[in-house]
Amino acid sequence: MPTYKPADYELLRRRCAELKELDWQQNKIAQALGLTEGWVSRTLKKYRQEGQAGIAWRKPDGPACRLTKEQLSQLLAELTKGAPAHGFAGAIWTRPRVNEPG
């Protein structure tokens, strides 16, 4: 089975949908594209449910924010005051400066 880069998978999903529209069987699509039947099945299910939008590439979600909305608002307010207002030389905010307990 060939190995594909993540960027290739949207093209493969689109090709799966095109071949299914041409009445190809799932196992034949899998063989032709070098994919598993399970992958083809999941792809076609998303295509049936959501259309082209369901098979489009999406940037993977990052981790969930660990701050509450109130904490984010407070952080923004403090950052807006500027680094010198918090005792730092220069106006540049760096990750260590933001993480420093205050």
Side-chain angles (χ1 to χ4, degrees):
M1 184 177 297
T3 56
Y4 295 105
K5 296 180 287 185
D8 297 332
Y9 282 103
E10 181 174 2
L11 296 173
L12 290 169
R13 288 190 296 271
R14 291 187 186 284
R15 188 67 181 140
C16 277
E18 290 170 4
L19 293 174
K20 189 61 180 173
E21 295 290 331
L22 295 173
D23 291 326
W24 280 46
Q25 294 177 349
Q26 287 186 17
N27 64 334
K28 299 295 181 190
I29 295 171
Q31 287 174 356
L33 299 178
L35 302 165
T36 65
E37 289 183 46
W39 190 92
V40 171
S41 176
R42 287 187 301 277
T43 297
L44 294 175
K45 180 179 180 182
K46 278 196 87 98
Y47 178 66
R48 280 191 307 273
Q49 291 173 342
E50 303 174 34
Q52 289 292 329
I55 59 175
W57 182 84
R58 293 181 188 98
K59 181 179 177 184
D61 293 335
C65 183
R66 292 183 281 172
L67 299 177
T68 65
K69 288 183 180 183
E70 292 79 22
Q71 290 171 322
L72 285 172
S73 294
Q74 182 183 3
L75 175 60
L76 182 59
E78 294 302 318
L79 292 175
T80 302
K81 292 177 186 176
H86 292 277
F88 297 110
I92 305 287
W93 278 113
T94 62
R95 185 177 304 179
R97 285 181 173 188
V98 172
N99 288 336
E100 191 171 300

